[in-house]
Amino acid sequence: MRCLIFFLPDRYIPGTPARLKEPGLTKLRTSRLLEVGMVLTNEPGCYFIDALLDAALADPTRAPYINADVLERFKKFGGVRIEDVVMVTPEGAENLTTCPRTVKEIETVLAGGQWPPVKDEAPELKRRWYKLALHGHGMVEDAI
């Protein structure tokens, strides 16, 4: 399977629709109809940017929604982005990302535990498990 991405400021592939302009949807990087077999990334993130947070805390319409004491504990952290690579299937999507995702998985790996696990503890993530093929030539499905 090959996946090519062409980046243009207002669209990715010539001939595809421009990005959506509705509030909340302006950051979507595709407005194409998704088809079975397409592979794309889902990249949710949470970032702590001082200039934006300070402005929000100073704004009486936004400040009531921010717990400044809790925020202060995380401001120096910077943020986090969790990316998933998903493939469109006839039933919806299949998650091709197999790094630790749940608290239990992350704590197990940090404690030196096995990865990938013997048993998938989070089947709701719909992950598809792969391993490196013989001599590193591609990937093959792994039964977990």
Side-chain angles (χ1 to χ4, degrees):
M1 175 187 326
R2 293 182 188 176
C3 181
L4 300 175
I5 297 175
F6 299 90
F7 177 75
L8 300 170
D10 66 340
R11 60 189 73 189
Y12 271 66
I13 298 174
T16 61
R19 289 187 184 185
L20 301 172
K21 303 293 184 207
E22 290 87 18
L25 300 178
T26 58
K27 301 299 183 204
L28 290 177
R29 293 189 178 158
T30 185
S31 55
R32 300 173 63 193
L33 292 177
L34 300 181
E35 299 175 19
V36 171
M38 286 183 165
V39 176
L40 50 136
T41 59
N42 179 28
E43 304 172 357
C46 178
Y47 303 96
F48 301 98
I49 302 168
D50 287 340
L52 298 176
L53 292 169
D54 292 343
L57 288 167
D59 180 348
T61 61
R62 294 186 285 169
Y65 300 100
I66 302 170
N67 184 327
D69 294 332
V70 172
L71 175 62
E72 197 58 40
R73 291 186 359 227
F74 294 101
K75 279 179 84 172
K76 303 286 186 266
F77 177 70
V80 64
R81 180 168 79 190
I82 299 174
E83 298 183 13
D84 283 313
V85 177
V86 295
M87 180 173 64
V88 179
T89 67
E91 296 78 31
E94 195 166 338
N95 191 341
L96 304 178
T97 304
T98 56
C99 63
R101 284 288 192 245
T102 68
V103 171
K104 181 179 178 184
E105 289 174 345
I106 293 167
E107 288 176 346
T108 297
V109 170
L110 288 174
Q114 177 180 336
W115 192 262
V118 175
K119 178 181 180 231
D120 186 1
E121 298 290 339
E124 68 278 5
L125 295 178
K126 298 181 180 178
R127 295 180 285 201
R128 192 164 176 183
W129 299 89
Y130 290 92
K131 63 181 178 183
L132 219 61
L134 187 63
H135 305 297
H137 295 274
M139 303 296 285
V140 294
E141 196 157 2
D142 193 13
I144 288 190

